[in-house]
Structure formats: structure tokens, C-alpha cells
Amino acid sequence: MDAINWSDLSFGYMKTDANVRTHYSNGQWSTPEVETSEFLNIHMAATCLHYGQEAFEGMKAFRGKDNKIRVFRMRENALRLQRSCQGIMMAELPVELFEACIFKVIKENERFVPPYESGASLYIRPLLFGTSAQVGVKPAEEYTFLVFVTPVGPYFKEGFKPTPMAIMREYDRAAPLGTGTYKVGGNYAASMQSGVKAAKLGYSAVVYLDAKEKKYIDECGPANFFGIKDNTYITPKSPSILPSITNKSLIQLAEDMGMKVERRPVPVEELATFEEAGACGTAAVISPILRIDDLDAEKSYKFCKDGTPGPISKKLYDKLRAIQYGDEPDVHGWVTIVE
Ligand code: PLP
Ligand code: COI
């Protein structure tokens, strides 16, 4: 392969050596197989194509100074995929099988795990979808689980630098009793119009509000939201957001640092009181927010006065990355070393 410029990677797809697949039929998952093709051969009436019976995950592996490869919170991703499967009536994948597929795909693509010094990582994308032919709207009887990997750099090209985001009230991503809490493709389709519009206007992401009242912060495009004030980490509680594993980790780290944590509805006006704000997720890690423009209300909330990340966001970011790369002890048991 051509030499990869590891320090220059963006968040995109790169072909690697192999992916891993298992198929579900007659109530059973098959033994995982290694596949070198990047393509799928599926029935044109498959439920994933017509009715969005598809869920995915996003996780990362990191190469440490000791050259060991560490996967971050793999079990949490396996469990969230099971919840997504319940949410849209798909066959659930056992946790052990999920983990076996993840180990296999990493081993097969070991040479694509970026070196420690690059600050890049291996993004792991598991997906599960209905494959059997159906024209009536009902769940498939057969499913495929597939996992591929790709080396990545930062999701927002600025990396750990504050970027502006926007509130746009004419779009919703997910309804309170809908599928926002599951990681299903349809939610991302619902976010495309607003996402493209925001990018055209120079924003890195849309800050979605709760769809019912448009009063509270939901989340930031493909990441959860947090705000910091008075030594307190504040993050929205909402039935229409994805339970972010990064956010769950940051909550723990904030508590470890002696901060208070509040998970509760966050009214838009409260933005004016935050000293720092950020978006967090596997891809986003922590992406500090420079300012949030509320486009309909013609208001702007600023968080980084001099354009640099706030001290608490920086501390949380450094701590999280240190655990992920194995620079600091993994006291919470979040990391699995790929042997
Ligand atoms: N919210 C949405 C909509 C996402 O797509 C993601 C990414 O997975 C997150 C939040 C962050 O979740 P996690 O930290 O588990 O990656
Ligand atoms: C992730 O953070 O893993 C995501 O899934 C975000 C996005 C690229 C959809």
C-alpha cells in the first residue's frame, strides 16, 4: 500500500484489508467470516433498503506507546447495538459474538492502526441490517452483521479547536417517542438537510432542540452536548438523544476530578451562563464550541473568548485521550487490549 500520512488523516473512509461478517437465519448467527470485498450482495427487497431496518455503532482502537492496541468501551457499544436492535425489531447480536468480530477485524487490519505519535486512531464501524425480502412493512427474518475499520483523524477538521454551531428551529432530528435514542440510519437521514445547510453557513454542526417544545438543548449533530459552569458538568437529559458512551465516560471523569455533574433538561437561555461548552462523541472526542448562533432568535452565545478551548474541556480531553492511548491507568476498566 502507499505510505499513509498518519498525522494528516481526516475522518473518512479508507480501504483496508478485510471486514468481518456473520449472518442470522433460522434463529442463529453464523460463524464470523473474514471478507476482503468491500461490497455486499443483497436482495433488492431487503428491509434495510426500504424500511430502514439498519443500526450501526462507532468505536475506536488506539495504539499505545507500548505498541499495544486498545479498544475503548467495546462492551458498551455491543449493548447499545442490542438496544438499537430492540428499538427497530432486529435480531440481537450476542455481546461475545460482537466482541469476537471486533477482535478479528482489528487483527486482520493491524497495519492500519495508526502509530501512537500520530494522534490518529482506528475507527471501527459495526453495522447490522435486515436482509430478507419483504414488501409489507414488517421485520426481516434474516440479518447481516458486518464490521469494517478505517484509520481516522479528527471528525471536525479543526481537531481540538473551538468551532461555531447553530440552532435551526425549522428542523428536527428525532421525536421524543421516536428513534433518537437508537443509533439507526434513519436519524442520520433526518439530519442531512439541516447539516448541509449549517455547513454552507460555516457551522461545524447543528445544535438540535427538543422537538416537542423547542425549549431545551438535545444534542449536537453526531455528538452529545455538555456545558460547564461553577465547577459543574451539565449535560441534557432527553428521550430523543443518543446515550453517548463518550459522555458517560466524561461524566465519570468529571466526578473523579471533584466536579459536580447534572444530567437534566438544559433550556436554551441557559447557554448564556456556561463558561465552556462542547460536543462529545467517539468521532468528535471533545469538540469545544466557539459559539452557538440561535439563527431564528438572532442571538449568539459565546464560550471561548480568545478562541482557545476552556481549561476544563482541555483537562477532560487530555484525561480521556490518556486513558484511551494507555498513557494513564485504566482505573474504570474501559479499555480492552487486543492480544
Ligand atoms: N449522538 C449522536 C447522534 C451520535 O451519532 C453519536 C456518535 O456515536 C453520539 C451522540 C456520541 O456517542 P458516542 O460517544 O457513544 O460515540
Ligand atoms: C461516532 O462518533 O462514532 C459516530 O457515529 C458519529 C458519526 C460519524 C455518525
Side-chain angles (χ1 to χ4, degrees):
M1 78 186 174
D2 292 339
I4 298 172
N5 188 352
W6 299 109
S7 316
D8 222 24
L9 287 173
S10 59
F11 191 88
Y13 178 80
M14 179 188 292
K15 184 181 190 312
T16 58
D17 289 336
N19 55 83
V20 172
R21 304 175 188 196
T22 165
H23 305 283
Y24 178 90
S25 65
N26 299 319
Q28 287 219 315
W29 288 97
S30 64
T31 306
E33 279 169 32
V34 175
E35 182 52 82
T36 54
S37 169
E38 294 168 281
F39 294 90
L40 291 157
N41 186 11
I42 55 174
H43 196 285
M44 62 186 175
T47 60
C48 62
L49 297 177
H50 299 257
Y51 303 130
Q53 246 203 330
E54 183 273 344
F56 67 100
E57 272 304 326
M59 47 200 282
K60 280 178 174 169
F62 304 83
R63 194 184 289 280
K65 236 183 237 159
D66 53 8
N67 213 31
K68 289 188 176 150
I69 300 170
R70 292 168 171 79
V71 197
F72 189 66
R73 308 203 75 169
M74 175 168 56
R75 189 181 163 80
E76 290 287 331
N77 288 89
L79 294 171
R80 190 171 64 186
L81 181 62
Q82 289 189 336
R83 275 198 63 245
S84 295
C85 288
Q86 290 159 16
I88 59 168
M89 304 291 290
M90 301 198 291
E92 283 174 48
L93 187 76
V95 171
E96 306 71 48
L97 190 52
F98 180 96
E99 293 182 343
C101 292
I102 302 298
F103 286 136
K104 211 182 212 14
V105 77
I106 295 173
K107 291 302 282 180
E108 290 291 327
N109 295 291
E110 228 175 304
R111 68 195 182 104
F112 291 96
V113 185
Y116 171 77
E117 299 73 30
S118 65
S121 57
L122 187 74
Y123 187 69
I124 304 167
R125 174 52 65 84
L127 60 154
L128 196 156
F129 47 92
T131 51
S132 44
Q134 213 93 262
V135 179
V137 181
K138 55 180 187 226
E141 276 157 18
E142 293 172 355
Y143 295 86
T144 291
F145 172 77
L146 182 155
V147 53
F148 70 79
V149 295
T150 188
V152 295
Y155 186 72
F156 298 119
K157 67 177 187 313
E158 292 79 1
F160 187 63
K161 263 180 73 187
T163 59
M165 300 190 181
I167 294 172
M168 298 197 289
R169 282 156 216 270
E170 73 269 39
Y171 300 99
D172 290 321
R173 175 184 178 277
L177 300 176
T179 55
T181 151
Y182 309 123
K183 201 163 168 64
V184 299
N187 296 337
Y188 298 81
S191 74
M192 299 256 178
Q193 275 195 20
S194 48
V196 168
K197 188 166 167 185
K200 272 192 192 141
L201 293 171
Y203 298 106
S204 63
V206 178
V207 178
Y208 292 99
L209 302 186
D210 78 286
K212 193 170 172 190
E213 295 190 82
K214 304 266 186 181
K215 267 170 82 174
Y216 303 101
I217 306 287
D218 248 1
E219 56 183 330
C220 308
N224 275 182
F225 172 87
F226 69 85
I228 309 274
K229 67 175 170 192
D230 307 328
N231 202 33
T232 309
Y233 180 98
I234 300 159
T235 193
K237 183 174 162 73
S238 159
S240 48
I241 65 176
L242 193 76
S244 157
I245 295 161
T246 312
N247 199 4
K248 191 173 173 181
S249 311
L250 294 176
I251 287 171
Q252 181 67 59
L253 295 179
E255 281 174 354
D256 294 351
M257 289 172 188
M259 293 178 71
K260 264 193 14 207
V261 170
E262 293 176 11
R263 231 182 116 244
R264 56 162 170 82
V266 178
V268 179
E269 310 79 62
E270 193 178 355
L271 290 175
T273 67
F274 290 137
E275 297 149 16
E276 301 177 32
C280 63
T282 297
V285 194
I286 285 182
S287 297
I289 305 177
L290 180 65
R291 60 169 209 279
I292 296 177
D293 291 345
D294 186 340
L295 297 183
D296 315 289
E298 293 185 18
K299 267 193 173 162
S300 187
Y301 303 92
K302 295 198 174 55
F303 308 104
C304 300
K305 285 175 197 75
D306 57 359
T308 53
I312 292 176
S313 302
K314 169 98 174 72
K315 205 166 150 193
L316 286 167
Y317 176 88
D318 288 342
K319 185 83 188 173
L320 178 70
R321 301 276 286 178
I323 296 170
Q324 291 175 328
Y325 282 95
D327 292 336
E328 284 195 29
D330 171 30
V331 295
H332 297 293
W334 289 344
V335 160
T336 312
I337 294 178
V338 181
E339 302 292 354

